[in-house]
Amino acid sequence: TGVWWVPYENREVDYAIATPLGEHRAAYRTYRPESYVDQGFAIRVKTPGGQPQVRTLDRNDFDDIHFIGEYPIATIEYRSRQKPALPVDVQAEVFSPLVPLNTRDSAIPATVLRYMVTNTSDEPVDVSIAGWLQNAVCLELADRTRAISRNRVVRRAAVTSVQMDLVPPAPKPQPPARVRVIEDFETGTYENWEVEGEAFGAAPASGTLPNQQPMSGWKGKYFVNTYLGGDDRLQGRAVSKTFKISEPYVTFLIGSGDHKDRTCLNLVVDGKVVRTATGSRNVKLTPGWWDVNELIGKQAQIHIVDRESAPWGHIAVDQICQTNRRPDVLPFPHDHAQFGDMALSALDSQATATAAWASKEAFLAHLAEHGKLDGRPAGRSPLGEKQCGAVASAFRLAPGESRDATFLLSWYFPNRRQDNGGVGWAMPSGNGRRVGNMYSNWFDSSLDVARYVAENFDRL
Ligand SMILES: [Ca+2]
């Protein structure tokens, strides 16, 4: 389907099936994919006289998992030799809707997880199936922007969902900004620096150098640009005068080479590199910063290093400052490729949910005791702190009876970018022209996707 080609979405699909797929692969001792977000399912069973049992539907609690991949549906049978034996059989079907010759219904940004449970005992059994999912919206931007991961329980018709998105933080009073310039090169000289080698030239650059792609992004007239000599061959180093770290953040503009330790800007304390940054093969200098709270009061130097002659073996730097305010390198990322929303839903109007669990242990303990979730309607946490929501379907099975519990993982990321920044199709950056996703013409949120799948489930 079209959706599988979309970088972020594809990862989402990966996440959605990471657990069963992981089990399958683990069974063949090949490799276990890393799961980028915390996600999974658990089953709770209770017989009339017995203690409740909770098991996660993965290889931690099932030692004999069978995977049958008959495209487009993956079937997983959960078996275990563990005692006490469960009084039920559990099987899952995982698929994204695929309708031949129907592009639209084959490109729905959703994965269906259907658990089929059969009571194999001669007593009635109370069964709960619970799924959890971590809010992953813009997770990779956690150290570059301030925002709130928000989870909400939403009930619509026959669908119970936890929807996950990202919202701007509440504005809070900021202290007056203090900015101390360490160096802006506006004297047009290296009078505050000790310069070695030839790459830095006799004075800071005032623009693009001969044979160089057009540079931009520096501040004022002068900046450091080591593309001297018309190529990357020349090397050198510039060492600043010693200064005292008096503010919690050091900010700078940086561009060009991305060679770690070789084309870089370093903060050096007691002869050791304590912070470092490189360019990102960018001809436009962009803002970067270091948190130096723990170094306040120390004597430090800045080293600008060019000891690389391979392609992109040069570095561009300007406007090195200290400041008391944590910079937001990215504003709130509402147009970022990873901005959007995602939802975990049960196709069950009676399902219980929690918008945010306290911990996985507490979640499993609550499920064990009550067979349902605590109903917490909303959760908020700073972007980067793990926040997991969960939904659970509960039902009673007579001896021999079977029932399905159907869950849906849906997503909506409308800002797909054309340029992935050369870092691989699975790692979208925020760069490039916005091309969007076709599905954003058809849906307006992950909940809208869930509603559509629920309404058309039999056909899909
Ligand atoms: Ca400057």
Side-chain angles (χ1 to χ4, degrees), residues 184-186 219-223 318-319:
D184 60 10
F185 303 102
E186 292 305 299
K219 194 168 176 197
K221 188 155 186 215
Y222 297 101
F223 67 110
D318 196 12
Q319 202 66 22

PDB file of all heavy atoms in Angstrom, residues 184-186 219-223 318-319, ligand 1:
ATOM      1  N   ASP A 184      32.076  37.058  18.189  1.00  0.00           N
ATOM      2  CA  ASP A 184      31.238  37.180  16.988  1.00  0.00           C
ATOM      3  C   ASP A 184      32.084  37.488  15.752  1.00  0.00           C
ATOM      4  O   ASP A 184      31.532  37.666  14.670  1.00  0.00           O
ATOM      5  CB  ASP A 184      30.135  38.219  17.186  1.00  0.00           C
ATOM      6  CG  ASP A 184      30.699  39.595  17.492  1.00  0.00           C
ATOM      7  OD1 ASP A 184      31.940  39.773  17.367  1.00  0.00           O
ATOM      8  OD2 ASP A 184      29.905  40.486  17.848  1.00  0.00           O
ATOM      9  N   PHE A 185      33.397  37.554  15.927  1.00  0.00           N
ATOM     10  CA  PHE A 185      34.366  37.775  14.842  1.00  0.00           C
ATOM     11  C   PHE A 185      34.193  39.135  14.154  1.00  0.00           C
ATOM     12  O   PHE A 185      34.731  39.358  13.077  1.00  0.00           O
ATOM     13  CB  PHE A 185      34.329  36.629  13.820  1.00  0.00           C
ATOM     14  CG  PHE A 185      34.590  35.292  14.450  1.00  0.00           C
ATOM     15  CD1 PHE A 185      33.550  34.416  14.711  1.00  0.00           C
ATOM     16  CD2 PHE A 185      35.883  34.928  14.838  1.00  0.00           C
ATOM     17  CE1 PHE A 185      33.777  33.195  15.332  1.00  0.00           C
ATOM     18  CE2 PHE A 185      36.114  33.712  15.463  1.00  0.00           C
ATOM     19  CZ  PHE A 185      35.066  32.838  15.710  1.00  0.00           C
ATOM     20  N   GLU A 186      33.406  40.020  14.780  1.00  0.00           N
ATOM     21  CA  GLU A 186      33.122  41.297  14.094  1.00  0.00           C
ATOM     22  C   GLU A 186      34.292  42.277  14.117  1.00  0.00           C
ATOM     23  O   GLU A 186      34.220  43.332  13.491  1.00  0.00           O
ATOM     24  CB  GLU A 186      31.847  41.928  14.670  1.00  0.00           C
ATOM     25  CG  GLU A 186      30.580  41.129  14.346  1.00  0.00           C
ATOM     26  CD  GLU A 186      30.391  40.877  12.851  1.00  0.00           C
ATOM     27  OE1 GLU A 186      30.278  41.869  12.096  1.00  0.00           O
ATOM     28  OE2 GLU A 186      30.410  39.711  12.426  1.00  0.00           O
ATOM     29  N   LYS A 219      26.126  35.749  11.194  1.00  0.00           N
ATOM     30  CA  LYS A 219      25.550  36.981  11.719  1.00  0.00           C
ATOM     31  C   LYS A 219      26.569  38.101  11.580  1.00  0.00           C
ATOM     32  O   LYS A 219      27.759  37.890  11.837  1.00  0.00           O
ATOM     33  CB  LYS A 219      25.164  36.779  13.193  1.00  0.00           C
ATOM     34  CG  LYS A 219      24.275  37.880  13.707  1.00  0.00           C
ATOM     35  CD  LYS A 219      23.662  37.522  15.040  1.00  0.00           C
ATOM     36  CE  LYS A 219      22.856  38.722  15.537  1.00  0.00           C
ATOM     37  NZ  LYS A 219      22.545  38.654  16.943  1.00  0.00           N
ATOM     38  N   GLY A 220      26.114  39.266  11.168  1.00  0.00           N
ATOM     39  CA  GLY A 220      27.022  40.402  11.009  1.00  0.00           C
ATOM     40  C   GLY A 220      27.833  40.258   9.731  1.00  0.00           C
ATOM     41  O   GLY A 220      27.344  39.734   8.728  1.00  0.00           O
ATOM     42  N   LYS A 221      29.110  40.685   9.808  1.00  0.00           N
ATOM     43  CA  LYS A 221      29.915  40.679   8.605  1.00  0.00           C
ATOM     44  C   LYS A 221      30.848  39.481   8.523  1.00  0.00           C
ATOM     45  O   LYS A 221      31.063  38.925   7.453  1.00  0.00           O
ATOM     46  CB  LYS A 221      30.726  41.988   8.564  1.00  0.00           C
ATOM     47  CG  LYS A 221      31.463  42.175   7.266  1.00  0.00           C
ATOM     48  CD  LYS A 221      31.746  43.636   6.944  1.00  0.00           C
ATOM     49  CE  LYS A 221      32.362  43.731   5.548  1.00  0.00           C
ATOM     50  NZ  LYS A 221      33.351  44.777   5.431  1.00  0.00           N
ATOM     51  N   TYR A 222      31.421  39.087   9.684  1.00  0.00           N
ATOM     52  CA  TYR A 222      32.493  38.086   9.642  1.00  0.00           C
ATOM     53  C   TYR A 222      32.117  36.794  10.363  1.00  0.00           C
ATOM     54  O   TYR A 222      31.351  36.798  11.319  1.00  0.00           O
ATOM     55  CB  TYR A 222      33.761  38.653  10.294  1.00  0.00           C
ATOM     56  CG  TYR A 222      34.320  39.843   9.570  1.00  0.00           C
ATOM     57  CD1 TYR A 222      34.097  41.130  10.055  1.00  0.00           C
ATOM     58  CD2 TYR A 222      35.072  39.683   8.406  1.00  0.00           C
ATOM     59  CE1 TYR A 222      34.605  42.237   9.399  1.00  0.00           C
ATOM     60  CE2 TYR A 222      35.588  40.797   7.737  1.00  0.00           C
ATOM     61  CZ  TYR A 222      35.356  42.064   8.239  1.00  0.00           C
ATOM     62  OH  TYR A 222      35.851  43.158   7.584  1.00  0.00           O
ATOM     63  N   PHE A 223      32.700  35.696   9.897  1.00  0.00           N
ATOM     64  CA  PHE A 223      32.547  34.400  10.566  1.00  0.00           C
ATOM     65  C   PHE A 223      33.722  33.517  10.181  1.00  0.00           C
ATOM     66  O   PHE A 223      34.496  33.849   9.290  1.00  0.00           O
ATOM     67  CB  PHE A 223      31.207  33.746  10.185  1.00  0.00           C
ATOM     68  CG  PHE A 223      31.104  33.330   8.734  1.00  0.00           C
ATOM     69  CD1 PHE A 223      31.102  31.987   8.372  1.00  0.00           C
ATOM     70  CD2 PHE A 223      31.006  34.280   7.723  1.00  0.00           C
ATOM     71  CE1 PHE A 223      31.000  31.604   7.033  1.00  0.00           C
ATOM     72  CE2 PHE A 223      30.909  33.905   6.377  1.00  0.00           C
ATOM     73  CZ  PHE A 223      30.906  32.569   6.036  1.00  0.00           C
ATOM     74  N   ASP A 318      30.084  30.873  13.930  1.00  0.00           N
ATOM     75  CA  ASP A 318      29.912  32.291  14.244  1.00  0.00           C
ATOM     76  C   ASP A 318      29.108  32.421  15.541  1.00  0.00           C
ATOM     77  O   ASP A 318      28.513  31.457  16.033  1.00  0.00           O
ATOM     78  CB  ASP A 318      29.173  32.997  13.094  1.00  0.00           C
ATOM     79  CG  ASP A 318      29.302  34.522  13.164  1.00  0.00           C
ATOM     80  OD1 ASP A 318      30.145  35.011  13.948  1.00  0.00           O
ATOM     81  OD2 ASP A 318      28.557  35.199  12.428  1.00  0.00           O
ATOM     82  N   GLN A 319      29.142  33.621  16.099  1.00  0.00           N
ATOM     83  CA  GLN A 319      28.226  34.066  17.168  1.00  0.00           C
ATOM     84  C   GLN A 319      28.180  33.070  18.337  1.00  0.00           C
ATOM     85  O   GLN A 319      27.149  32.473  18.629  1.00  0.00           O
ATOM     86  CB  GLN A 319      26.817  34.252  16.564  1.00  0.00           C
ATOM     87  CG  GLN A 319      25.916  35.165  17.353  1.00  0.00           C
ATOM     88  CD  GLN A 319      26.398  36.612  17.354  1.00  0.00           C
ATOM     89  OE1 GLN A 319      27.143  37.035  16.471  1.00  0.00           O
ATOM     90  NE2 GLN A 319      26.009  37.371  18.358  1.00  0.00           N
TER      91      GLN A 319
HETATM   92 CA    CA B   1      29.849  37.395  12.975  1.00  0.00          CA
END
